[in-house]
Amino acid sequence: MAVETADGETVEDAVAYFLQDMTYHGRTDRTRDAYERVLRRFEAFLGDAEANPMGAERCVEEASHRDCMAWIHSLRGSDAADSTVATYATYLHRFYAYMTQVGAFEGNPMTLVMEEMDEQIDANPSRREISVPEMREFLREVHHPLDRAVLFTLLKTGMRVGELCNLDCRDVSLADGTPLGDVSRRAQLDGRGPSLYVSAEPSAGERANGERRTASNKRKRSTVVPVDGELERALARWLAIRPDVRSPADPLFVSTSGSWGERLTTDMVHHLVERHAAERGWHRAGGNAEENVTPHYFRHFFTTHLRDRTGDRGIVKYLRGDVGGDIIDTYTHNWGDSVRETYEAHIYSLL
């Protein structure tokens, strides 16, 4: 089936067109070949009415989100590893996103499929596994109020390092009387109780709240994350001794060492986490991602343990900031019942 791009170019073979553009964009032959194997496999699936549970032959230009879901389901049935399923889905998603961008396709049928998938690409399948009791023992040896507040925030929210560094005091709502400085909190936190607002907006090099940022947030949509009693106490203890800050944005986390009063950077947080992890034997210089505990490991810890406890992948995706559109709107509008109650009932204790 021939299609036409926004520039008026006729495309007879959409897969070949995409692969050629990959070459023009400087992708390696190895990468191009990997995409070709996956896309041609999907194309063959669509063309086999018996193999396709949708019961009809289609071409890639005609595929619906149900066709895509059926193919993903067939991959699971072939005993493919979760990481393989996620990789194939990502390749297909990028193909449709690109062809939509150039105007050849009307939409990306993989968007909804990607939002609902549990499988993830795991470049380190033998990653160290730490239990909740082991994490509690680790935290018992961390005494500095800043270090404890940073670690508790990462572990209790699953946010990325850049998102933590970009938090301002206006993004925090704690119990009445907690010192948050001379700042008006965000309206999105009104009526939410103790919570954090994680914005999707800050980007490295751009100004936000009067300060040029050095880190980017990568959320699909801004998210309000509950704060439980343990995290609230860790933040309150930190805020009670937080130095005077050097930014009009009033950052939540600032340095108490060489860059006194300046916003924490991602490098500072990595150093903080890795120093404590090394003392525990969870990090060594030259170690790989399979054995070393880094700030990103805490996002993995949060996701794994909270998903296992709640059985609600939608809420975990919402808290991680991985979903947008109607899905996130559902939780935003019913935040108290759907998010806070589920979170408080299932979040692990770290004390």
Side-chain angles (χ1 to χ4, degrees), residues 4 20 27 37 98 125 155 216 231:
E4 191 173 281
Q20 187 176 48
R27 301 295 188 268
R37 286 193 299 271
Y98 184 81
L155 285 163
S216 299
L231 177 54

Side-chain angles (χ1 to χ4, degrees), residues 323-342:
V323 293
D326 294 341
I327 295 175
I328 201 169
D329 288 339
T330 298
Y331 292 113
T332 299
H333 295 155
N334 196 23
W335 193 88
D337 294 334
S338 294
V339 179
R340 180 175 284 285
E341 289 185 7
T342 301

Side-chain angles (χ1 to χ4, degrees), residues 127-138 155 277 280 282 291-294 297-298 300-301 304-305:
R127 177 188 287 142
R128 179 192 296 274
E129 292 298 329
I130 299 174
S131 67
V132 173
E134 288 175 318
M135 191 62 75
R136 290 189 191 117
E137 293 180 6
F138 166 69
L155 285 163
R280 183 74 181 177
W282 291 350
E291 62 177 305
N292 280 349
V293 169
T294 64
Y297 178 85
F298 294 143
H300 161 75
F301 182 93
T304 300
H305 288 284

Side-chain angles (χ1 to χ4, degrees), residues 3-46:
V3 293
E4 191 173 281
T5 69
D7 294 333
E9 182 179 357
T10 300
V11 177
E12 298 287 347
D13 183 340
V15 172
Y17 178 92
F18 172 74
L19 295 172
Q20 187 176 48
D21 277 16
M22 288 188 72
T23 301
Y24 294 156
H25 287 302
R27 301 295 188 268
T28 66
D29 290 343
R30 181 178 179 182
T31 298
R32 185 183 181 280
D33 290 345
Y35 270 86
E36 183 169 20
R37 286 193 299 271
V38 172
L39 296 176
R40 293 303 184 190
R41 180 172 175 177
F42 175 64
E43 190 176 45
F45 172 83
L46 293 175

Side-chain angles (χ1 to χ4, degrees), residues 57-77:
E57 295 183 9
R58 301 180 191 274
C59 59
V60 292
E61 295 86 350
E62 299 171 321
S64 69
H65 78 278
R66 289 180 61 82
D67 292 312
C68 295
M69 284 194 295
W71 186 59
I72 296 299
H73 181 71
S74 74
L75 295 176
R76 294 178 180 128

Side-chain angles (χ1 to χ4, degrees), residues 30-170:
R30 181 178 179 182
T31 298
R32 185 183 181 280
D33 290 345
Y35 270 86
E36 183 169 20
R37 286 193 299 271
V38 172
L39 296 176
R40 293 303 184 190
R41 180 172 175 177
F42 175 64
E43 190 176 45
F45 172 83
L46 293 175
D48 187 343
E50 293 183 4
N52 183 353
M54 301 305 294
E57 295 183 9
R58 301 180 191 274
C59 59
V60 292
E61 295 86 350
E62 299 171 321
S64 69
H65 78 278
R66 289 180 61 82
D67 292 312
C68 295
M69 284 194 295
W71 186 59
I72 296 299
H73 181 71
S74 74
L75 295 176
R76 294 178 180 128
S78 68
D79 295 326
D82 285 358
S83 183
T84 300
V85 174
T87 299
Y88 284 18
T90 298
Y91 284 6
L92 190 58
H93 179 55
R94 289 174 179 167
F95 163 69
Y96 276 112
Y98 184 81
M99 296 305 290
T100 301
Q101 187 175 9
V102 299
F105 294 172
E106 294 183 359
N108 183 349
M110 277 297 293
T111 300
L112 181 60
V113 180
M114 295 297 289
E115 290 181 351
E116 292 300 313
M117 284 184 62
D118 282 333
E119 293 90 352
Q120 295 182 354
I121 298 174
D122 189 353
N124 306 290
S126 56
R127 177 188 287 142
R128 179 192 296 274
E129 292 298 329
I130 299 174
S131 67
V132 173
E134 288 175 318
M135 191 62 75
R136 290 189 191 117
E137 293 180 6
F138 166 69
L139 291 170
R140 287 194 192 105
E141 302 302 316
V142 180
H143 303 292
H144 193 288
L146 172 60
D147 296 8
R148 283 183 68 83
V150 166
L151 294 175
F152 267 81
T153 301
L154 291 172
L155 285 163
K156 288 281 190 172
T157 68
M159 69 175 62
R160 300 174 178 86
V161 179
E163 294 168 345
L164 177 137
C165 292
N166 277 324
L167 286 173
D168 296 332
C169 280
R170 67 172 181 162

Side-chain angles (χ1 to χ4, degrees), residues 184-229:
S184 297
R185 71 184 183 194
R186 289 184 182 268
Q188 293 91 335
L189 295 173
D190 291 346
R192 302 292 195 185
S195 50
L196 298 172
Y197 181 83
V198 187
S199 175
E201 296 175 359
S203 298
E206 297 181 358
R207 299 190 70 82
N209 200 18
E211 179 188 349
R212 187 174 299 281
R213 303 304 171 107
T214 61
S216 299
N217 288 7
K218 299 179 181 180
R219 302 215 154 206
K220 292 187 177 179
R221 288 276 294 275
S222 300
T223 312
V224 177
V225 181
V227 169
D228 73 345

Side-chain angles (χ1 to χ4, degrees), residues 219-268:
R219 302 215 154 206
K220 292 187 177 179
R221 288 276 294 275
S222 300
T223 312
V224 177
V225 181
V227 169
D228 73 345
E230 291 181 353
L231 177 54
E232 184 173 17
R233 287 189 290 274
L235 290 174
R237 184 183 175 199
W238 156 242
L239 287 165
I241 62 99
R242 185 182 65 134
D244 292 337
V245 300
R246 300 184 178 183
S247 166
D250 206 8
L252 176 61
F253 294 116
V254 298
S255 174
T256 58
S257 56
S259 301
W260 184 268
E262 294 183 1
R263 184 186 298 274
L264 285 189
T265 65
T266 55
D267 285 344
M268 292 177 187

